[in-house]
Amino acid sequence: MSDPLLPVLLAVPVVVLACQAGGRAVRLLGQPPVIGEILAGILLGPSLLGWLAPTVQHHLLPSSVLPVTSALGNLGLMAFLFLIGLELDLRSLRTTRGAVAAVSLAGLLLPLALGTALAAALYPHFAPDGVGRLPFTLFVAVALSITAFPVLARILADRGLETTPLGAFALACAATDDALAWCLLTAAVALATTGTALSALTTLALTAAYAAVLVLIRPLLRTLLERAGRTGDELVLALLFAGLCLSAYTTDQIDAHPAFGAFLFGAAAPRGLPAVERSAARIRAVVLPLLLPLFFVDAGLHTDFSHLPTGQWAWGAAILTVAVVGKWGGAAGAARLTGADWRWSAAVGTLMNCRGLTELVVLGIGLQTGVITETLFTLLVIMTVITTAATAPILRRVAGDDPRMTPSATHDDPERAPARETTR
């Protein structure tokens, strides 16, 4: 009898190195590494390797190894969402006002409305058996409303724009937008997993109660981590990792996805503690290059471009069109209505249309909970890759040499800059 560990010892380095190579390759094209990592995961699946050399793919990623790599990938996903929650600036959500609030809401509501209309057309063709119209519609609408906060931050940092008026404004909008979208996603998943509106409301109430508990114990958690930090970073690291896992387990037990628990624990974790920052950096150093690629490949194995008939490619074009018109149109239109000029408004719309890894996480949740089929998952992944890859080159063209959108721009109050500097 062969050792079940041996296939894992082959699959993990193949996946990790392929994603590293993909990330480095797209960086040469001016793209964020996540594009290459997602593409590497897709190409290791049936879309390319399984189509060109099915025997090789089966040898590298046999069915016996998939439960292990999937579990490791989902563990990496939990840690990644903890980091997103930890990096979310809750103060910016409390102080959002004026143009930021308008762009955030318009960038969410218009895609939701258009996505709802599109989902009505998609439902007869792509809804899994047993999934009701409401959870399917809500999930598709939310999937078209996501902005990838971490990838957006990476694109801005690569261009040196994270502290410019444009960067500060876009990040505040994206944080607000995604906080609202995650609440709606929780509702969609609760409806899909519980089956009835009453059960879904119970799940939502329990999730809200759990979030409130995390807020209440935040001072206690801060004290605990401060004391642990005096003994060494190892204990802080262990406490944070145990906390995110237990939080994910808790939300799973109340019929919400484990991802929500990891995210909520990250949002509740105390900021400003050096030991917490160092421990988070160590989690990031392991999770992003080693575990998260396994999630990409798990998603890639459910993404098959080779068997999409012509009619479904037409649906893919419709999804892409609705996604861009809703997200870019909502954000850019709202920015223009608040007094910004068209160059600024177009740049904001372009940044808000970036979806990246956050979108892939949302789609993975939908696939795992059975809200969408693998075919619709594939079409939505295509939309994700295109909208994310288009962000950086379009931003370069739109921004030009505008001083508000270049690294040299400075302002004493970036969050309020758009309302004053872009009014003509």
Side-chain angles (χ1 to χ4, degrees):
M1 183 175 180
S2 61
D3 188 344
L5 179 62
L6 292 180
V8 178
L9 296 179
L10 177 62
V12 170
V14 167
V15 170
V16 169
L17 293 177
C19 288
Q20 282 289 318
R24 291 177 180 273
V26 299
R27 282 296 295 268
L28 299 177
L29 302 175
Q31 292 288 341
V34 67
I35 290 291
E37 293 166 352
I38 292 174
L39 290 175
I42 292 173
L43 296 179
L44 286 173
S47 294
L48 183 66
L49 186 59
W51 177 55
L52 294 176
T55 303
V56 174
Q57 192 220 23
H58 178 73
H59 180 70
L60 295 177
L61 296 167
S63 56
S64 61
V65 82
L66 297 185
V68 178
T69 56
S70 178
L72 292 174
N74 277 284
L75 185 61
L77 173 64
M78 300 301 106
F80 172 74
L81 290 173
F82 161 77
L83 293 173
I84 291 181
L86 185 65
E87 293 168 359
L88 181 65
D89 187 358
L90 297 178
R91 291 172 298 179
S92 70
L93 301 185
R94 291 197 299 266
T95 59
T96 51
R97 58 194 182 274
V100 172
V103 171
S104 301
L105 289 175
L108 179 68
L109 294 178
L110 184 58
L112 282 174
L114 296 178
T116 298
L118 177 63
L122 292 173
Y123 182 79
H125 306 282
F126 295 101
D129 293 336
V131 173
R133 184 178 294 272
L134 181 58
F136 178 84
T137 299
L138 185 56
F139 180 85
V140 171
V142 172
L144 297 180
S145 307
I146 291 294
T147 295
F149 182 84
V151 177
L152 174 58
R154 179 63 176 269
I155 291 174
L156 291 170
D158 286 345
R159 289 178 53 83
L161 298 176
E162 70 273 22
T163 59
T164 63
L166 175 66
F169 184 78
L171 288 173
C173 291
T176 306
D177 186 300
D178 277 6
L180 296 172
W182 276 93
C183 293
L184 293 173
L185 180 63
T186 305
V189 172
L191 278 170
T193 55
T194 59
T196 65
L198 180 61
S199 298
L201 287 174
T202 302
T203 297
L204 288 173
L206 290 173
T207 304
Y210 177 62
V213 169
L214 288 176
V215 172
L216 291 175
I217 68 170
R218 195 177 187 188
L220 178 62
L221 183 59
R222 184 180 187 90
T223 301
L224 176 63
L225 292 173
E226 283 178 339
R227 292 181 178 177
R230 299 190 190 109
T231 66
D233 290 353
E234 289 76 12
L235 180 56
V236 175
L237 178 63
L239 289 173
L240 290 176
F241 190 77
L244 75 89
C245 290
L246 292 174
S247 185
Y249 178 82
T250 300
T251 52
D252 180 71
Q253 292 301 298
I254 59 178
D255 288 327
H257 196 276
F260 302 129
F263 175 80
L264 290 174
F265 183 74
R271 274 74 168 168
L273 297 180
V276 171
E277 300 298 327
R278 290 191 297 268
S279 297
R282 292 170 73 176
I283 293 175
R284 186 181 297 106
V286 173
V287 167
L288 298 189
L290 299 182
L291 292 182
L292 206 54
L294 299 174
F295 173 77
F296 294 143
V297 168
D298 190 54
L301 292 174
H302 296 93
T303 305
D304 190 356
F305 300 156
S306 61
H307 290 93
L308 285 177
T310 304
Q312 290 175 345
W313 282 107
W315 282 114
I319 290 171
L320 178 62
T321 301
V322 169
V324 173
V325 170
K327 199 68 180 178
W328 188 93
R336 181 65 177 143
L337 290 175
T338 59
D341 60 70
W342 273 116
R343 183 184 290 270
W344 177 280
S345 301
V348 170
T350 299
L351 289 169
M352 292 292 286
N353 194 45
C354 176
R355 288 175 172 84
L357 179 56
T358 306
E359 178 75 10
L360 195 65
V361 170
V362 170
L363 299 180
I365 291 173
L367 189 64
Q368 290 174 5
T369 54
V371 184
I372 57 175
T373 61
E374 290 192 3
T375 301
L376 183 55
F377 176 84
T378 298
L379 296 176
L380 289 167
V381 167
I382 294 172
M383 178 272 294
T384 301
V385 172
I386 292 175
T387 54
T388 307
T391 301
I394 293 178
L395 179 63
R396 282 194 294 269
R397 186 171 183 83
V398 169
D401 57 357
D402 192 315
R404 301 163 301 171
M405 308 179 199
T406 59
S408 60
T410 58
H411 199 280
D412 58 343
D413 189 359
E415 194 172 307
R416 297 180 65 90
R420 297 204 299 262
E421 296 191 5
T422 62
T423 302
R424 297 293 185 227

